[in-house]
Amino acid sequence: MVLSLVAMIGPVAAAFPGSNGRITFASNATGTVQIYTMLPDGNGVTQLTNTTGANNIISDWSPDGRLIAFDSDRVRSGVQVFVMKADGGGVRQVTHLGGFSGDPSWSPDGSQLVFEHAPPRGCCQNIYSIQADGTHVRKLTSLGNGTIPAEPEYSPDGQWIAFQQNPNGGALSAIFVMHADGTDLQEVTPLGMDADHADWSPDGSLIVFNNDRQLAVGDIFTIHPDGTGITQLTNVIPLGEADFRAHFSPDGTKIVFNHAAPDLASNEVLVMNANGSSPQVLNTNGFAPDWGTHP
């Protein structure tokens, strides 16, 4: 169990407040994976990327809802991080590292991105930060022994980064937090939960995550950043089904997430209340949703 982060950093101001805007998600409806947006009720689906023979998958809204960071394999150097306007225009490449650079997340002031990077050869995957203009790349973790830190997310006040990793290269992963400069690494979830896909609530009081979908079932939980108050939100019963990749709405009242089942042709995107009640399907062919503020 970690020290009380809430006590250490004090009250956390919401970094992405505002009314609920559009939801991004990825879909292979056209044969390759492209990024789309939709309204919070699932209507108004709009395709943002259209790269022939290339995939665009994980997206993250900027704090003001005007930009979207995403990863794509559209360049020969491998998967890289890009930024585009909320309407899909003005695409520009941010990272220029060989290998894989993906799962970007904005800082609360919109000046930086944090992402995971694995070089094309050698060791190892780690978490990096970069200015939004592509300058000042900085390595935040230096983990080896098969440990793979992934899917970093800034806290609403920008002081912490939550991410998942498998300590010492083990088969199970847990949610960790560290200072935004990579120091003070602390474990949040019990390793036995095999936790993935962390996201902060807008007020910084909760982290939502799922246990690993590679298990027989997968469910969504919340936990305080100090490792207390774990609460199960979904309860997948049939074997082989999973709820995963949950993200809070900007007003903190809803959670958007994925659902997978053997009888489904593709992943579904659902929304539910922040306490886990009233789940509703928004889209039947979507992956990795993220909820932006209304600009």
Side-chain angles (χ1 to χ4, degrees):
M1 192 65 64
V2 302
L3 298 174
S4 175
L5 298 184
V6 175
M8 290 169 62
I9 65 179
V12 179
F16 307 98
S19 59
N20 296 336
R22 295 180 72 89
I23 297 169
T24 53
F25 64 97
S27 174
N28 64 354
T30 63
T32 54
V33 183
Q34 305 297 329
I35 294 174
Y36 298 74
T37 64
M38 62 182 168
L39 295 170
D41 62 3
N43 292 316
V45 174
T46 302
Q47 184 173 346
L48 297 187
T49 63
N50 186 15
T51 48
T52 302
N55 299 292
N56 312 268
I57 303 179
I58 307 301
S59 57
D60 189 71
W61 286 93
S62 66
D64 61 6
R66 298 182 183 277
L67 297 172
I68 299 169
F70 65 101
D71 54 31
S72 175
D73 62 2
R74 63 179 66 190
V75 292
R76 296 185 63 182
S77 57
V79 175
Q80 300 295 332
V81 174
F82 295 78
V83 168
M84 62 183 168
K85 296 179 181 178
D87 63 0
V91 177
R92 58 181 175 84
Q93 185 173 343
V94 177
T95 63
H96 293 81
L97 304 173
F100 175 86
S101 298
D103 279 292
S105 170
W106 290 91
S107 63
D109 63 2
S111 67
Q112 296 188 80
L113 291 160
V114 66
F115 62 99
E116 62 189 60
H117 171 68
R121 293 175 296 277
C123 181
C124 298
Q125 178 165 303
N126 278 288
I127 293 173
Y128 291 70
S129 65
I130 191 171
Q131 291 292 113
D133 63 3
T135 62
H136 297 94
V137 179
R138 182 180 182 186
K139 186 179 180 182
L140 300 181
T141 61
S142 296
L143 300 171
N145 300 321
T147 299
I148 304 175
E151 301 183 6
E153 292 281 344
Y154 275 107
S155 64
D157 65 354
Q159 295 189 39
W160 298 90
I161 295 171
F163 62 100
Q164 68 191 50
Q165 69 173 359
N166 56 327
N168 300 316
L172 302 179
S173 65
I175 303 302
F176 287 74
V177 295
M178 63 182 176
H179 282 306
D181 63 1
T183 62
D184 199 13
L185 179 67
Q186 302 188 44
E187 185 174 338
V188 177
T189 63
L191 185 59
M193 290 197 70
D194 204 11
D196 291 326
H197 308 310
D199 185 59
W200 299 80
S201 63
D203 65 0
S205 66
L206 293 172
I207 294 174
V208 65
F209 67 95
N210 62 267
N211 60 326
D212 198 318
R213 62 181 297 218
Q214 299 303 321
L215 302 177
V217 296
D219 287 300
I220 294 171
F221 301 77
T222 57
I223 193 169
H224 294 302
D226 65 357
T228 64
I230 188 168
T231 301
Q232 185 171 347
L233 300 185
T234 66
N235 188 20
V236 174
I237 301 300
L239 294 179
E241 295 199 16
D243 294 329
F244 61 105
R245 278 196 172 271
H247 283 266
F248 277 97
S249 63
D251 67 2
T253 65
K254 304 283 185 180
I255 293 174
V256 64
F257 63 100
N258 272 134
H259 177 76
D263 61 338
L264 295 175
S266 58
N267 295 323
E268 296 178 327
V269 178
L270 286 80
V271 65
M272 63 182 173
N273 292 327
N275 63 4
S277 64
S278 303
Q280 297 179 340
V281 176
L282 298 182
N283 190 279
T284 58
N285 185 358
F287 180 71
D290 188 57
W291 209 322
T293 58
H294 193 286

